[in-house]
Every structure is written in structure tokens, then in C-alpha cells.
Amino acid sequence: MDDNKNKECTVQFEPSGLKVKVPSGTTLLEAAHKAGIYLSSICGGDGYCGKCKVIIDEGQFRSRSSSLLTPEETRENVVLACQTEVLSGLMVTVPKSHSLEASQVLMDADADIFSRLTEQARVELFEYDPLVRKLCVEMSPPTVLDHTADHERLYTAIRKQVGAPLMQTGFRVLQRLPKVLREDNYKAAVTIGQRGGTTEIIEVEPGRRCKINYAVSVDLGTTTVVAHLIDLTTAKTIDTEATYNSQMPFGEDYIRRIIYAEQADAFDQLQLCLIQDVNDLIKTMAIRQRINLQDITAVICAGNTAMVHFLLHLDSTRIRREPYVAAAGFVPPIRAAEAGVQINKRGLLYCLPAVSAYIGSDIVAGVLTTRIYEKEKLSIFVDIGTNGEIVLGNKDWLICASSSAGPAFEGSGIRCGMRAGPGAIESLNIINGDEIRFKTIGDSHPIGICGSGLLDTLSELFVNGIIDRTGRLKAGGDARLTEGDDGMQFQLVEPQDGHREIAITQADINNLIRSKAGVFAAIRILMNSTQTKLEDIDAIYIAGGFGNFLNVHRAITIGMLPDVPPAKLQFVGNTSIAGAKTVLLCRRALETADQIAESMTYFDLMSNPDYMDEFIKAKFLPHTELSLFPSAGDLKSQT
Amino acid sequence: MDDNKNKECTVQFEPSGLKVKVPSGTTLLEAAHKAGIYLSSICGGDGYCGKCKVIIDEGQFRSRSSSLLTPEETRENVVLACQTEVLSGLMVTVPKSHSLEASQVLMDADADIFSRLTEQARVELFEYDPLVRKLCVEMSPPTVLDHTADHERLYTAIRKQVGAPLMQTGFRVLQRLPKVLREDNYKAAVTIGQRGGTTEIIEVEPGRRCKINYAVSVDLGTTTVVAHLIDLTTAKTIDTEATYNSQMPFGEDYIRRIIYAEQADAFDQLQLCLIQDVNDLIKTMAIRQRINLQDITAVICAGNTAMVHFLLHLDSTRIRREPYVAAAGFVPPIRAAEAGVQINKRGLLYCLPAVSAYIGSDIVAGVLTTRIYEKEKLSIFVDIGTNGEIVLGNKDWLICASSSAGPAFEGSGIRCGMRAGPGAIESLNIINGDEIRFKTIGDSHPIGICGSGLLDTLSELFVNGIIDRTGRLKAGGDARLTEGDDGMQFQLVEPQDGHREIAITQADINNLIRSKAGVFAAIRILMNSTQTKLEDIDAIYIAGGFGNFLNVHRAITIGMLPDVPPAKLQFVGNTSIAGAKTVLLCRRALETADQIAESMTYFDLMSNPDYMDEFIKAKFLPHTELSLFPSAGDLKSQT
């Protein structure tokens, strides 16, 4: 077989028909990426997630066996693309359910909650004054006595409706202006957008199109990209959509992706992944709502600094190198088309401001949404995403840190982990140490576990004594405890009707504990460095794509969050997209976001000698120092 | 020959080699335009100007004889393209001296004066604070303790040097920023431009390029386009260039050109003419000064409203139709590349503001340059171009009108008229009613008469009794008085060494008188309507491309301007380009220009019943009412 080592093999993927030539020995996952097919692959090609299943129709290959495949699948030549090497020309079918396309049509079940959160934040905090809006402008037509030029006539009419001391008109808009104004006898639908301190006239249409104007807010997550479609006329969210980030094959976290892009000179490719995700999300919602892309006039993004850099093809190479400098924290509004985002040709793309290379605009959005920046008392904001970012502060000061907790609670690096979508176990209880009760999103057959389910699982395993304080599965009489491919595992759901079993492995548990320990250690360091006592904390807000029903107190049970009374804990969902939406709908909120980003102090955990100590102490359940968790005594009484 | 009427004939033009098919009977001028060759043709194809000479090398044609051709020229098949019909396939040579190319390399002799005028206006009025400037920005490189993002680091550094509360960065600039900043260890040359109230970062380069930054100011005249190249680092004008407006074949004045463009759907073509003129002027100066076009970062234009509309391809069709509405008076700054102007790809194109469809930004520039807007006492500003625009007012009010005087004083419609360039008679005296003394620009052999020479000629003919008060050449013993092709004419220069004679015809005189009458009638109407008396006028400023040495008092002799003491009269040259340059070099001057444009009241002469009366009275030399010109008695004593 070594003779074939340098042989070129043609791999053809169906149903797309895309072909690619690769050297013998290449993995099918690499071949697919080379062909431009982005298979879901949460684990980054490590064979854990089982998201990259494909069917080999023809040809020779070598594939590692995996417990993620049922015997039926193996019989039908279903393989994990990342665990399969090409040995000859191949014909491969990409099942629809595992391609990007399918994941896009999954409705994000928790979007509705987030939507309500935003409405609330908006109504309470900020008046309706969107960054981009469409005005119905009626002018009196020119006469011999009033021959003001069309352009100045328009400006005067706009200024009667909104405060816009500084205006700018796009060249193409100006060229079409005289014709458009006369089409509806000087009644016009004028789309204006804020660009710095200037109000730009983005589009002028005949008056009858006054009520048609949409925008999209996007949360650019490292693992998941979420988009909401907003009717700017009513300020209502009319659709939501989410997808895995297509960059995932290139690395689980953004540091790995930056390294990959540098080594493979693949920044173009990584940008394209993200732009396509955003475009696909927008297109899916637009088609579903029968909206013309031309009528979407703004996109607003929040996300970690690296994702925003990838989206805009800004230089991200210094994010991972000392002294960790971003190209831009405050990204000026640009024309969406310039970045490749397909909406109205002259529509604008906004990004919320970031604090630093490691504290992105998603965290600023969280601070904005939870309003901790205006409170007298101290609050903690924790965002559990691919990294765990922490903010501590009040109206006088805000300090923040990034814990690099890892994406375990997003379901990444967890064998049966998945994002909060239909079929995900979102809550779980273990009754009498043996009987498992759970609820899935959409009440469908369980196909995996999302963040809230993982938190429940870890907590229940601990409370029921199935794992010890170090997280080790206790060898014993439990029938659910078996030896799997990856070592010890605890079965939650038996395989049934062709569905694979759902289990949590020792490796999964270790991953989850590392994540929670990272978060708790970061909180401790921030509290210690500011001499904040537990009783000074008035509220802890926990954000992230956990799912709809997070049992927040269980985050205390496992020692992820400090032991505050339950009333002080609040799950706030995806505050990244909620904050983006708030800013979209109110320009004063953008000013507030700018002030938040500017005033936040970044605390570098890695250069702090105590962080590792705190991390090691937090790797116990709930902690080495039980005195920090007085409520641990009541654990058994919780359900 | 009638059989050939619909025959298609191929005409080939050398040296370009361009070919075109036209029906038999088409004029060569039309054929040339159809082929995309813009022959100079000031008279608009009426056979007066002699600017469209070409040589027929082969083929059949029918040409009207013309006194503008010497016998040698006729022998060598030199014809006026506008007076020549195509009868068969033709080979035609366009002499270099008559094509656009050649006219561009003529150095504008009066540019230097205008340049000095601007310097003066600038120094006295406004501080150096250009619309576009290059800053040398030194930043301290990031450290672990100062990891501010590159973009914000740059903003902070810029704001240490200039007031720029609102800034915007171009997307491509942002993408390149991290690399460029590190090229010269955080020393950068930053080009910033004013765009509305926002300061835009146009370009960021390594620090060593701090001192390289240029701009071009342009006067978009209906007949002549003038450009000055300015070193923005020193604020000095380093080169000047002028050319005839290539739109001239499509009509002598802009109304005719709009009609032509509407009928022939030729707005694209007319824009292209003007854009090419501007680009050619810029390129000529850049090559001569060894400047890279990328280092020209701004172009600023002043001109009549129609020219600005043509340049930007704005809809000009309503300029000629009641109620005479422009697409825009205040044109926002745009990227020059968007309009097709070839400078730095991200460079800006500014236009000065206009008052109305008939009072363009050239007049606003004139008011700015002469400072009549800030004087206690009343002044009159007169701009003699293709139209004659008049402004009357002071710091409290400004009223303006357009006299449609016609382009006679620009040399158009005058047989031997030409613009102020080498060989143009710029001053002329008649001694003892017979001997002619004159001076040409560059002291070369006379080839025509420019504006100042025409004013002198008309005045001298009148003062010497060669024409009567109606302008009629008096039949008599004068040997210079002959019967030419166009009726009576007065010879100024005999034909010599192959140079044609220079003469002024009765038709020329009538044209000049119509022009001066239009201007004077407009001044009278503005004065009457504001109850302004002659003694209230503190100053009269006369602007236009007359040439370097205008004997301004002769404008009173012929009754073009009111009879004020000589000390109150001042020739101010091309104030359109002078004003444009002032604005370029000082952003406060742009605000002032905006205020001027906004505050000026447009007075419509055509709808005023008294205008025709005044015009008819002014068609005498100096006027029907001699009491208006008390100084007419001293005429004989002037030289």
C-alpha cells in the first residue's frame, strides 16, 4: 500500500457533484474542505463529535472504527469523514442532514426567549431610534417661486422629521434622485443610516415603499452563528435562524483557526466560511418570510474579536501573539457589500465595539443587555461560550477577563454534545440514583445533549454520588456504568430504533469540570483583585447558548459560580444578539456600548500568578474549599 | 449626386486610425464626433471659428469656401470639418495642433495671476486647514501594558494633532492598517479628508511618505476647463493647465448641450468629454511634475450648475425646463473614482455649492474670493464667461442674476476669437484712427484675439469713430475697412508668412455689443430692484478668462459696466478656480461658501418685464441715455 502513497485520487461528492484531486492518504474531511464542502465537524476532526458522517458509494478507503457509528451504519459504508483516509478514486454521498444546508433550517428554539429579552431591554432602556430607518418624506413639488434643488429639498424635508445636522448622500442615490422624486410626485421613502456622526441617505424610493424595511442582527459565535430578522418598521423580530460556524473544521477555538489560517495562508477561506454562514442565514430567513434581500438595509454583528476580524478580513494574526493587539476594537460602519454580505447593495454593516483582543463585542453586548454598567451595586456577568468571559463591576467601574474555559458547555469536545436545537436533552434528573428523566427541545427523540443538559448531567452525577469530588466515575454496581471506546462512560439513554445511545464519558466529565473551573477561578481572581466580597455581589447573570431552561442554581452545585442566594442568579440567554438588536434599534444604545467598551478594564489572567492555583482548587466539585459553598449541604434536596 | 444620398461612406481619421460609417451628406465634424474624435469647434459648427480644420487625403467631399482658409490650405485640401460634407469613403488627417491633445499642452498664461490672487485671499482670510491633508503620525508601539487596538491607537494619535471628533475609516484602509503601521514601527503618513462633518481616513502609508500629497482645483467652464495642481504640504500652486471643453461640438452653451444630450440620449458621452478633459489636465500636470496620480488625494471643482451636473452625471434635464430645478446645488463629497476622475483610488472629489440652476458654484467662488459677502458697503461682482452672471450686495444681503450674455468675450462666435493663450492679442490700441498697436500673449505672432483684446478692439473702434453708437462700421475712406465673406470687416493684422489676417467683422461687433448689453441690463435691473444708486456702489469686480491685462475702464467706455470712478473697478481674473482653491486649503472657507450659496437670492431676469427694455437701451455705445455715462466725454483722452 506504500506504493500508493503519492497517488492522486479523485473524490467526487454527491449530491453537489463537486470533485477534488487529493493524494492518497488524505482524510475525507480534508478532501471535502478542499472541494469547498463544509461538513459539520464540531470536534475539529478528532473523531469525537460524529458530525461528519458521509456514505462511501464506491472506491477504496481506510476508516477507524468508532462507537459513534451503529452496526447498520457501518454495514452501509457510513464513515466519519475525519477518521477515513482516501486510498483510491471515491464516490461519496454527503447526507443532507449533516451538511450545512440542513443545519440552517433548524429553527433555533431559544431564539424566542432572547427576542423577548431584547424587547424588554429596549423598552425599558432606550427609545425607538434605529441606526437605519426608513422615513416617509412628503415634499411640495418645485414651482417657479420655489425652485430649490431636489437634493436640498429632500434634506429640508428629512430634517423636519429627524435630527440630522450632518448628512451625506451616496453618489448613485444622488444620480437617481430627480427621477425617483418625480415618480410619486415628491413623496419618497428615504432610508437613512447613521455612519459615525453623519446621517447617510442609503436609498431613496417612491413613497409607496415606506413601510418595507428590514435588518438582521447576528451573533458571531466561535461555534454557533445566530441571526435574527427584524422588521424595522415595527421593531419586531420576525424570524430567527442559527447554524454551526463553518470555520469549525479549521479548529475548535479561534486561536487554532488563526494558526491554521497563518500556516495555510487561508484567511480568505476562513472569511468566506463566515460570510457564507451569515449570507445563508439571511437568505434562509428572507426566503421563508418572502422578503427581498434589497429590502434588508442593515446588518449588525456582535461576537468575539477574532470572529469580527475574520468576518471583515481584518488582520487577526496579532490577536494570538504578545502583546495581543487587535486591528480594531471599534469597527466603523461599512457598506455590507464591501465585506461580501448580501443585502441591499448600499446597506450598512455595523459591529458592536470590543474591549480588547480577548474581550469582544459580545461581552459589551452582554453588559449593555444586563445593565450592570448603570447599577449602584456590584454584579457579575458570565458568558459561557467557546471561551468563558467574566465581567465584574457597577456604574463606577467594570473589570473583565477571559477564562479560555473551552467550549464544553456548547457541546463541543463532548461525545454526545450538541447545540440547543431539536432533539437536544435540555434538562435532566436522576431519580434514586438510577432512573433518568429528561426533556428534549421540541420533545423529539434525544439525539444529543445541549449546554443546560450537560450542566444538569454533571450536577446530577455529583449529587447522586455517581462521580466523586474529582469528577471520577465511581466503579461500582451501577448497570449504566460501562467501559466504552473512550474509557468509562455513564449511559443516559439506551440505543433505540436506530438511534445511538446517549452517554457521558469520563473524558466529557473532565472537559466540563475544566470549563467550570476556568470560569470559577476567573471570578475569584477578579473578586480578589478588587477586594470584592461575596455579599457585595447583588446579581450574577449567566449568558450563553445553553438552551431554554437552565437550572441556574446547578451552576452553583458544581462550583462554576459563587454560592449566592438563588434570587441573585439569572440566566439571560444569548445577550450577544440581544445587545446587538438593542443597538440596532436605538442609536443612543450604540453610544452607551461605545462608552462601556471604552471604560472596561481588561484583566489578563494568564499573567496573574494566582490564576493557576485558583484553577486547580476549582477542579474539585464544587471546590477544594467547601466553606466557599455553604449551600452544598442542601444538594440532595434539589431537583 | 442625389442617387448617393443614402449611401453609407466609411471615413477613416488619422493618426488615430478610428473609422466610422456615415450616410453620404454627413458633415465631417459629425463624422468625427461619431468616431469619438473631439475636434475643437468653438462656434458649434457654424463655420466661424476655424478651429476644426482637417486635411482630406483621399476621397470625394463637398466643402464651402471660407475666408478662414489661406489659398495654400485650400490647395492642400485643408477644410473646415463643419463646412464639409462626406460624399464617398474618405481618408482624413486631423492635424495635431487642432486636436484636443495639443490644446492641453498650451500653458495657461494667466494662471499665474490667478494663483497669486488665491494666495492672497487665503492668507488674508483663512488659516491653512485643508479639506484633505496628510499628517505625520507617530505612535508608541503596543506593549503588554498598552495593547490598544491599532485602529484606536491611530485615532488617538490623530486627535492629538487635529480636531476630529467624528472619524470614519475606509474598509480597505482598515484591512491594511496593521501591516502598514508596523512597516515604519508605528510612524505613519495618514491622509485625512473632510466628508460632511466627519473626518475620513483616506489612506495610511508608512511614515516616510508624510510630505507627498497633492490636490487639483478645477474651473469647469462651458468653454474652457482650467486646472491647478497644488502641493498640499506647502499650499503652493505648482502647475496649471487649461483646455477647451470637449463638449463644445455639442453646443456653444450648456442649454444647447442639454438639449443635444436629451435628443441623442448622449449624457454618457457628454460626461465622458468632461471627465476626460479633467483627467487629461490632471495627467498632463502630473507627468510634467513627475507626480504619481496616487499621490493626488483630492479634486475640487467649481463651475456652472450644468457643468457640475454633466461631470457627475446628475440629471440636468430640469435645468432648462420651468421651474428650472437642479438635481443638487450642494453636492456632497464623493470618491473621485466613483465619478471616473483618476487620482488616488480613495481620493475625494469636492464641488463648491451652487445657488440655483443658473447661478453655479463658480459665482459662489467669486463672491468668496472678492469678499463682497463681508463688506459693509455694496459691491458688484460680474463674471464674464459663456454667460454673464452678476451679484450685487454686501454683508447683509446678496442678490444675483444670470444674463445669458453669450460667450463673445470668451472668443466664441467671434471669427478671430480665441481663449487667452499664446498668440492671442490681449491688448490693442488704435493710434490716429489708423495705426494698430497690439500685444500678444507670449509675444508670439498674433493668431487670434482673446477677451481683453476684444474689449479693447470694441472700445477703440468706438472711440476712434470707426463704428457708430449702434456699432455699425462706418463706410468711408478707411483702407482697413473691406467687404469680407461675412459682410463688412475691419482688418487688424494683415496676412503674413502663411498666417491669416486678423479682422473683426460686423457680426463680431454685434455679438460683442449683445453681450455687453446683457450684462449692463442685468446690473441695472438688480440695482433698480434694490433701489441701489450708482454712488452706493463701492466696488465693481470683474472676473473671467479675459487674459492677463484687462483695461477695466474700457468696460465702462463701451457701457458694459456702470460709470464708476476707475479706482472702484478691479479685474480679478478667474475667481472660480481661485475660490475653489481657497476652499480646498481651508475647511472654514467651505462653510463660508455654503453660507454664501444659501443666503444668495436668485433674481430671474427672464420673468422681469423691464429686462428687455433695459437690454435694448444698452445695445447702444455706451447707452441710449448718455447721462448714465458722464465720463464718456473724456473718452478720446484714454489710451
Side-chain angles (χ1 to χ4, degrees):
Chain A
M1 212 164 285
D2 278 335
D3 295 349
N4 290 334
K5 221 168 190 176
N6 294 315
K7 195 176 71 171
E8 286 280 311
C9 309
T10 302
V11 183
Q12 179 166 342
F13 294 92
E14 296 298 340
S16 64
L18 289 171
K19 279 185 204 173
V20 68
K21 276 198 175 177
V22 294
S24 170
T26 306
T27 72
L28 260 180
L29 189 64
E30 282 176 78
H33 295 158
K34 218 177 146 188
I37 294 166
Y38 298 105
L39 297 175
S40 295
S41 164
I42 295 182
C43 66
D46 289 343
Y48 292 137
C49 73
K51 302 287 188 275
C52 63
K53 286 180 191 169
V54 295
I55 305 156
I56 313 258
D57 300 318
E58 225 180 280
Q60 292 171 6
F61 61 95
R62 176 168 49 204
S63 196
R64 252 178 274 168
S65 65
S66 165
S67 60
L68 297 175
L69 298 167
T70 62
E72 289 79 29
E73 285 178 328
T74 306
R75 266 198 301 279
E76 287 166 7
N77 275 354
V78 175
V79 298
L80 298 183
C82 69
Q83 300 297 311
T84 306
E85 287 175 24
V86 177
L87 297 183
S88 76
L90 289 180
M91 292 285 287
V92 178
T93 295
V94 180
K96 201 158 192 305
S97 62
H98 289 280
S99 74
L100 188 63
E101 244 175 299
S103 69
Q104 279 155 15
V105 293
L106 285 175
M107 179 73 182
D108 211 25
D110 54 9
D112 185 48
I113 289 196
F114 304 153
S115 168
R116 270 180 276 130
L117 261 169
T118 332
E119 297 294 314
Q120 196 184 336
R122 193 176 59 70
V123 170
E124 284 176 27
L125 268 174
F126 300 107
E127 71 286 4
Y128 171 72
D129 179 15
L131 289 177
V132 169
R133 68 195 295 180
K134 206 177 235 181
L135 303 174
C136 186
V137 178
E138 285 191 63
M139 293 153 272
S140 50
T143 63
V144 178
L145 293 175
D146 171 21
H147 45 66
T148 304
D150 287 336
H151 187 231
E152 286 85 83
R153 187 174 299 269
L154 182 67
Y155 271 26
T156 306
I158 290 172
R159 286 182 173 136
K160 277 186 191 153
Q161 291 191 36
V162 292
L166 301 173
M167 286 209 268
Q168 169 78 13
T169 314
F171 185 42
R172 306 294 166 202
V173 172
L174 186 59
Q175 288 181 321
R176 285 193 304 261
L177 188 63
K179 190 163 174 292
V180 174
L181 289 189
R182 282 160 181 88
E183 230 173 276
D184 222 349
N185 196 29
Y186 282 84
K187 192 177 160 195
V190 182
T191 311
I192 56 172
Q194 292 310 121
R195 215 169 168 175
T198 304
T199 303
E200 182 180 297
I201 300 183
I202 294 175
E203 190 77 272
V204 180
E205 301 163 286
R208 60 182 177 273
R209 291 185 50 79
C210 276
K211 296 285 177 199
I212 307 161
N213 195 25
Y214 301 91
V216 172
S217 62
V218 179
D219 168 37
L220 294 169
T222 306
T223 305
T224 311
V225 183
V226 184
H228 289 191
L229 178 66
I230 297 129
D231 183 337
L232 283 173
T233 314
T234 61
K236 291 255 183 296
T237 302
I238 56 170
D239 203 349
T240 61
E241 189 58 85
T243 182
Y244 286 114
N245 187 323
S246 302
Q247 293 179 336
M248 283 201 295
F250 305 105
E252 185 176 62
D253 58 55
Y254 58 75
I255 295 293
R256 286 196 211 174
R257 293 183 203 167
I258 294 172
I259 294 171
Y260 170 81
E262 280 193 82
Q263 286 171 350
D265 194 16
F267 286 103
D268 284 354
Q269 192 182 9
L270 281 163
Q271 186 202 20
L272 199 66
C273 286
L274 204 48
I275 288 287
Q276 278 184 344
D277 285 349
V278 172
N279 282 336
D280 287 339
L281 291 174
I282 295 173
K283 221 176 287 171
T284 303
M285 295 189 291
I287 290 169
R288 198 156 52 210
Q289 302 301 325
R290 294 159 198 258
I291 283 168
N292 194 318
L293 287 181
Q294 280 302 308
D295 293 325
I296 301 176
T297 53
V299 168
I300 184 156
C301 296
N304 63 59
T305 306
M307 283 307 125
V308 171
H309 277 55
F310 278 128
L311 184 80
L312 302 180
H313 213 309
L314 302 181
D315 184 350
S316 56
T317 56
R318 276 100 192 172
I319 286 180
R320 72 176 191 91
R321 286 201 181 87
E322 221 184 68
Y324 315 112
V325 177
F330 291 71
V331 177
I334 60 167
R335 224 166 282 296
E338 279 193 283
V341 174
Q342 289 159 2
I343 56 167
N344 182 302
K345 269 182 211 161
R346 301 188 45 79
L348 297 178
L349 172 66
Y350 297 91
C351 293
L352 263 64
V355 176
S356 71
Y358 294 126
I359 298 288
S361 52
D362 47 351
I363 305 310
V364 173
V367 171
L368 181 76
T369 307
T370 55
R371 302 169 62 178
I372 66 174
Y373 67 92
E374 57 168 22
K375 291 181 179 161
E376 285 284 342
K377 294 188 177 168
L378 291 173
S379 308
I380 290 175
F381 169 77
V382 182
D383 189 9
I384 308 294
T386 307
N387 292 294
E389 291 96 345
I390 324 291
V391 183
L392 166 65
N394 61 8
K395 68 179 181 51
D396 299 318
W397 54 268
L398 292 163
I399 185 166
C400 56
S402 175
S403 77
S404 62
F409 284 99
E410 284 196 292
S412 184
I414 303 295
R415 195 211 282 172
C416 297
M418 68 179 286
R419 74 182 177 82
I425 294 177
E426 59 177 345
S427 67
L428 183 140
N429 286 302
I430 301 177
I431 314 293
N432 302 324
D434 181 59
E435 185 191 341
I436 313 273
R437 290 194 194 155
F438 60 84
K439 194 193 161 305
T440 62
I441 296 179
D443 292 321
S444 28
H445 190 92
I447 57 171
I449 322 172
C450 69
S452 56
L454 288 167
L455 185 66
D456 280 5
T457 303
L458 187 64
S459 163
E460 287 292 273
L461 290 177
F462 174 51
V463 169
N464 285 277
I466 300 161
I467 53 175
D468 65 16
R469 283 189 58 210
T470 68
R472 211 150 60 96
L473 285 162
K474 292 179 188 166
D478 201 317
R480 294 182 177 271
L481 211 60
T482 57
E483 184 76 27
D485 288 347
D486 312 323
M488 289 287 276
Q489 64 171 47
F490 184 83
Q491 189 183 63
L492 298 170
V493 184
E494 287 177 32
Q496 191 192 337
D497 302 336
H499 289 284
R500 63 178 170 130
E501 71 164 357
I502 293 177
I504 191 143
T505 68
Q506 186 62 62
D508 293 343
I509 293 167
N510 297 347
N511 266 343
L512 291 168
I513 289 179
R514 264 198 302 276
S515 269
K516 80 96 188 170
V519 171
F520 189 77
I523 293 175
R524 286 280 287 175
I525 293 287
L526 289 191
M527 286 177 67
N528 290 346
S529 72
T530 55
Q531 289 161 323
T532 302
K533 294 191 186 68
L534 190 62
E535 53 270 29
D536 299 334
I537 303 295
D538 188 54
I540 298 182
Y541 299 95
I542 178 160
F546 285 102
N548 299 330
F549 304 106
L550 187 73
N551 287 324
V552 278
H553 58 267
R554 284 179 164 165
I556 296 175
T557 307
I558 63 163
M560 179 190 253
L561 300 181
D563 196 351
V564 294
K568 290 189 174 183
L569 263 184
Q570 192 183 338
F571 173 55
V572 285
N574 184 337
T575 49
S576 174
I577 204 158
K581 222 187 293 185
T582 304
V583 165
L584 171 72
L585 292 172
C586 175
R587 33 176 177 162
R588 201 159 54 77
L590 178 56
E591 286 167 29
T592 305
D594 285 347
Q595 286 156 12
I596 290 169
E598 214 156 338
S599 66
M600 258 158 97
T601 305
Y602 174 65
F603 191 98
D604 183 16
L605 292 175
M606 290 308 132
S607 65
N608 186 285
D610 299 333
Y611 181 65
M612 200 37 75
D613 277 1
E614 287 290 345
F615 177 70
I616 288 165
K617 287 195 275 180
K619 275 184 68 185
F620 286 77
L621 292 170
H623 198 270
T624 46
E625 295 173 40
L626 280 176
S627 63
L628 289 173
F629 288 86
S631 70
D634 329 325
L635 289 182
K636 298 280 177 190
S637 64
Q638 293 176 3
T639 52
Chain B
M1 211 164 284
D2 277 334
D3 296 348
N4 289 334
K5 221 170 187 174
N6 293 316
K7 196 175 73 171
E8 286 279 312
C9 310
T10 301
V11 184
Q12 179 166 341
F13 293 92
E14 296 298 340
S16 63
L18 290 170
K19 279 186 204 172
V20 67
K21 275 198 178 178
V22 292
S24 170
T26 305
T27 72
L28 261 180
L29 189 63
E30 282 176 78
H33 295 158
K34 217 177 146 189
I37 294 165
Y38 299 104
L39 296 175
S40 295
S41 164
I42 295 182
C43 66
D46 289 344
Y48 292 137
C49 74
K51 302 287 188 274
C52 63
K53 286 179 192 169
V54 295
I55 306 154
I56 312 258
D57 300 317
E58 226 180 280
Q60 291 171 9
F61 60 97
R62 176 168 49 205
S63 195
R64 251 178 277 168
S65 65
S66 165
S67 60
L68 298 174
L69 297 168
T70 63
E72 288 80 29
E73 284 178 328
T74 306
R75 264 198 303 279
E76 287 165 7
N77 273 353
V78 175
V79 298
L80 297 183
C82 69
Q83 300 298 311
T84 304
E85 288 175 24
V86 177
L87 297 183
S88 76
L90 288 182
M91 292 286 286
V92 178
T93 294
V94 180
K96 200 159 191 308
S97 62
H98 288 281
S99 73
L100 188 63
E101 246 176 299
S103 69
Q104 278 158 14
V105 292
L106 284 176
M107 178 75 181
D108 211 24
D110 53 9
D112 185 49
I113 289 196
F114 304 153
S115 166
R116 271 181 275 128
L117 262 168
T118 331
E119 297 294 314
Q120 197 185 335
R122 194 177 59 71
V123 170
E124 284 176 28
L125 267 174
F126 300 106
E127 70 283 11
Y128 172 72
D129 179 17
L131 289 176
V132 170
R133 68 194 294 180
K134 205 177 236 181
L135 302 174
C136 185
V137 178
E138 286 191 62
M139 292 153 273
S140 49
T143 63
V144 178
L145 293 175
D146 170 21
H147 45 66
T148 304
D150 288 335
H151 188 231
E152 285 85 85
R153 188 174 298 271
L154 181 67
Y155 271 26
T156 305
I158 290 173
R159 286 182 173 135
K160 277 186 192 155
Q161 291 191 37
V162 292
L166 302 173
M167 287 209 267
Q168 170 78 12
T169 313
F171 184 41
R172 305 296 164 199
V173 172
L174 186 58
Q175 288 181 322
R176 284 193 305 260
L177 189 63
K179 191 164 174 289
V180 174
L181 289 189
R182 284 162 181 88
E183 229 172 277
D184 221 348
N185 197 31
Y186 282 84
K187 191 177 161 194
V190 182
T191 310
I192 56 171
Q194 291 311 120
R195 216 168 167 176
T198 304
T199 302
E200 182 180 297
I201 300 183
I202 295 175
E203 190 76 272
V204 180
E205 300 163 286
R208 59 181 177 275
R209 290 185 51 79
C210 275
K211 296 286 177 199
I212 306 162
N213 195 25
Y214 301 91
V216 172
S217 63
V218 179
D219 168 37
L220 295 168
T222 306
T223 305
T224 310
V225 183
V226 185
H228 289 192
L229 178 67
I230 296 129
D231 182 338
L232 282 173
T233 314
T234 61
K236 291 255 182 298
T237 302
I238 55 169
D239 203 350
T240 61
E241 189 57 86
T243 182
Y244 285 114
N245 187 324
S246 301
Q247 293 179 336
M248 284 202 294
F250 305 105
E252 184 176 63
D253 59 55
Y254 59 72
I255 296 293
R256 288 196 209 173
R257 293 182 203 168
I258 294 171
I259 294 171
Y260 169 81
E262 279 194 82
Q263 287 171 349
D265 194 16
F267 285 103
D268 284 354
Q269 193 182 8
L270 281 163
Q271 186 202 19
L272 199 65
C273 286
L274 204 48
I275 288 287
Q276 278 183 343
D277 286 348
V278 171
N279 282 336
D280 287 339
L281 290 174
I282 294 173
K283 221 177 287 170
T284 303
M285 294 189 293
I287 290 169
R288 198 155 53 209
Q289 302 301 326
R290 294 159 198 257
I291 284 168
N292 194 319
L293 287 181
Q294 281 301 308
D295 292 326
I296 301 176
T297 53
V299 168
I300 183 155
C301 294
N304 63 59
T305 307
M307 284 307 124
V308 171
H309 277 54
F310 278 128
L311 184 80
L312 302 181
H313 213 309
L314 302 181
D315 184 349
S316 56
T317 56
R318 275 100 192 172
I319 287 179
R320 72 176 191 90
R321 287 200 181 87
E322 223 185 67
Y324 314 112
V325 177
F330 291 72
V331 176
I334 61 166
R335 224 166 282 295
E338 279 194 282
V341 173
Q342 290 159 3
I343 56 168
N344 182 302
K345 270 182 210 162
R346 302 188 45 80
L348 297 178
L349 172 66
Y350 296 91
C351 292
L352 263 62
V355 176
S356 71
Y358 294 126
I359 298 288
S361 53
D362 47 352
I363 305 310
V364 173
V367 171
L368 181 76
T369 306
T370 56
R371 302 168 64 177
I372 66 175
Y373 67 92
E374 58 167 22
K375 292 183 177 160
E376 286 283 344
K377 294 190 179 169
L378 291 174
S379 308
I380 291 174
F381 169 76
V382 183
D383 190 8
I384 308 293
T386 307
N387 293 293
E389 290 97 345
I390 324 290
V391 183
L392 166 65
N394 61 8
K395 69 178 181 50
D396 299 318
W397 54 268
L398 293 164
I399 185 167
C400 57
S402 175
S403 77
S404 62
F409 283 99
E410 284 197 290
S412 184
I414 304 295
R415 195 212 281 171
C416 298
M418 68 179 285
R419 73 181 179 81
I425 294 176
E426 59 176 345
S427 66
L428 182 141
N429 286 302
I430 301 177
I431 314 293
N432 302 324
D434 182 59
E435 186 192 341
I436 313 274
R437 289 195 194 154
F438 60 84
K439 194 191 161 307
T440 63
I441 296 179
D443 292 321
S444 28
H445 190 90
I447 57 172
I449 321 172
C450 70
S452 56
L454 288 167
L455 185 67
D456 280 4
T457 303
L458 186 64
S459 162
E460 286 292 273
L461 290 177
F462 175 51
V463 169
N464 285 279
I466 299 161
I467 53 176
D468 64 16
R469 282 189 59 210
T470 68
R472 212 153 58 99
L473 285 162
K474 292 179 190 165
D478 201 318
R480 293 181 178 271
L481 211 59
T482 57
E483 184 76 25
D485 288 348
D486 311 323
M488 288 287 276
Q489 64 171 46
F490 185 83
Q491 189 183 62
L492 297 169
V493 184
E494 287 177 32
Q496 191 193 337
D497 302 337
H499 290 284
R500 62 175 171 132
E501 71 164 358
I502 293 176
I504 191 143
T505 69
Q506 185 62 61
D508 293 343
I509 294 167
N510 297 347
N511 265 344
L512 291 168
I513 290 179
R514 264 198 302 277
S515 269
K516 80 96 188 171
V519 170
F520 189 76
I523 293 174
R524 286 279 287 174
I525 293 285
L526 289 190
M527 286 177 68
N528 289 346
S529 72
T530 55
Q531 289 160 324
T532 302
K533 294 193 188 68
L534 190 61
E535 53 270 29
D536 299 335
I537 303 294
D538 188 53
I540 299 181
Y541 299 96
I542 179 162
F546 284 101
N548 300 330
F549 304 105
L550 188 73
N551 287 325
V552 279
H553 59 266
R554 284 181 164 164
I556 296 175
T557 308
I558 63 164
M560 178 189 253
L561 300 180
D563 196 353
V564 294
K568 290 188 174 182
L569 264 184
Q570 192 183 338
F571 174 55
V572 285
N574 184 338
T575 49
S576 174
I577 203 157
K581 220 187 296 184
T582 304
V583 166
L584 171 72
L585 292 172
C586 175
R587 35 175 176 164
R588 201 159 54 78
L590 178 56
E591 287 167 28
T592 306
D594 285 348
Q595 286 156 12
I596 292 169
E598 215 156 338
S599 66
M600 258 158 97
T601 306
Y602 174 65
F603 191 97
D604 183 16
L605 292 175
M606 289 308 131
S607 65
N608 186 284
D610 298 333
Y611 180 65
M612 199 38 74
D613 278 1
E614 287 291 345
F615 178 70
I616 289 164
K617 287 195 274 180
K619 275 185 68 184
F620 286 77
L621 292 170
H623 198 270
T624 46
E625 293 173 41
L626 280 177
S627 64
L628 289 173
F629 288 85
S631 70
D634 329 325
L635 290 182
K636 298 282 177 188
S637 62
Q638 294 175 5
T639 51

